[in-house]
């Protein structure tokens, strides 16, 4: 795969990522789409590293840094979504702890969703800027 072809793949991936975060409020509430965003961000970083392997002067890590805040904040939301899922599967066995922890999860989800939305709204560089 030549560098120009890989650049086209990256451009398409960037466009998909930008579309995915266009409505961060909805995305933060949809568990599977949020997980998919994180997977696609990992693929994005891997593709950047591949391009750097082809063109050693390509600043893969510098470009990757632009996307770290949204990956990190999406990870926070995903963590609390999974905590809620685990608790729901074992809720009856964990009473009265489950009720207390469920309230804690709701509060943490509000906080992490807010952080995620802020990082998504901060804006990503366009392909031309990269």
């Amino acid at each position: 795969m030549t560098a120009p072809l890989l650049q086209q793949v990256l451009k398409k991936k960037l466009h998909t990522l930008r579309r995915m975060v266009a409505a961060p409020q909805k995305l933060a509430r949809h568990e599977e789409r949020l997980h998919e965003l994180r997977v696609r961000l990992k693929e994005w970083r891997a593709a950047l590293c591949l391009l750097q392997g082809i063109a050693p002067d390509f600043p893969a890590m510098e470009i990757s840094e632009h996307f770290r805040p949204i990956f990190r904040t999406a990870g926070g939301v995903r963590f609390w979504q999974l905590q809620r899922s685990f608790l729901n599967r074992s809720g009856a066995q964990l009473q009265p702890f489950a009720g207390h922890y469920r309230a804690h999860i709701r509060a943490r989800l509000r906080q992490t969703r807010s952080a995620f939305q802020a990082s998504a709204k901060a804006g990503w560089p366009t392909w031309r800027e990269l």
Side-chain angles (χ1 to χ4, degrees):
M1 183 177 284
T2 64
L5 182 56
L6 188 52
Q7 286 176 346
Q8 289 175 359
V9 170
L10 282 168
K11 188 175 183 178
K12 184 177 177 181
K13 284 184 178 299
L14 179 61
H15 179 70
T16 299
L17 289 169
R18 291 175 67 91
R19 238 186 356 211
M20 288 179 81
V21 298
Q25 299 85 356
K26 288 182 182 179
L27 182 60
R29 295 188 179 280
H30 194 281
E31 291 183 25
E32 288 306 313
R33 288 186 56 214
L34 188 70
H35 174 65
E36 182 182 343
L37 171 67
R38 286 180 46 82
V39 169
R40 288 183 181 250
L41 283 166
K42 287 179 184 181
E43 290 173 349
W44 166 255
R45 186 170 183 202
L48 290 173
C49 289
L50 180 61
L51 184 55
Q52 187 175 36
I54 294 169
D57 292 339
F58 182 75
M61 291 303 111
E62 180 182 320
I63 291 172
S64 186
E65 285 298 314
H66 292 285
F67 303 89
R68 185 180 300 264
I70 197 158
F71 182 77
R72 183 180 42 78
T73 57
V77 175
R78 185 73 178 134
F79 174 82
W80 290 107
Q81 288 173 339
L82 290 172
Q83 289 292 300
R84 182 179 56 196
S85 177
F86 295 148
L87 186 63
N88 289 341
R89 286 193 300 245
S90 60
Q93 300 167 8
L94 298 176
Q95 293 303 337
F97 170 77
H100 171 73
Y101 196 54
R102 194 168 278 114
H104 179 70
I105 289 171
R106 278 193 300 272
R108 294 297 293 156
L109 271 171
R110 277 193 301 273
Q111 292 171 343
T112 57
R113 283 177 180 150
S114 178
F116 170 74
Q117 291 170 23
S119 67
K121 289 179 182 178
W124 286 351
T126 64
W127 180 254
R128 284 180 183 246
E129 291 169 338
L130 294 176

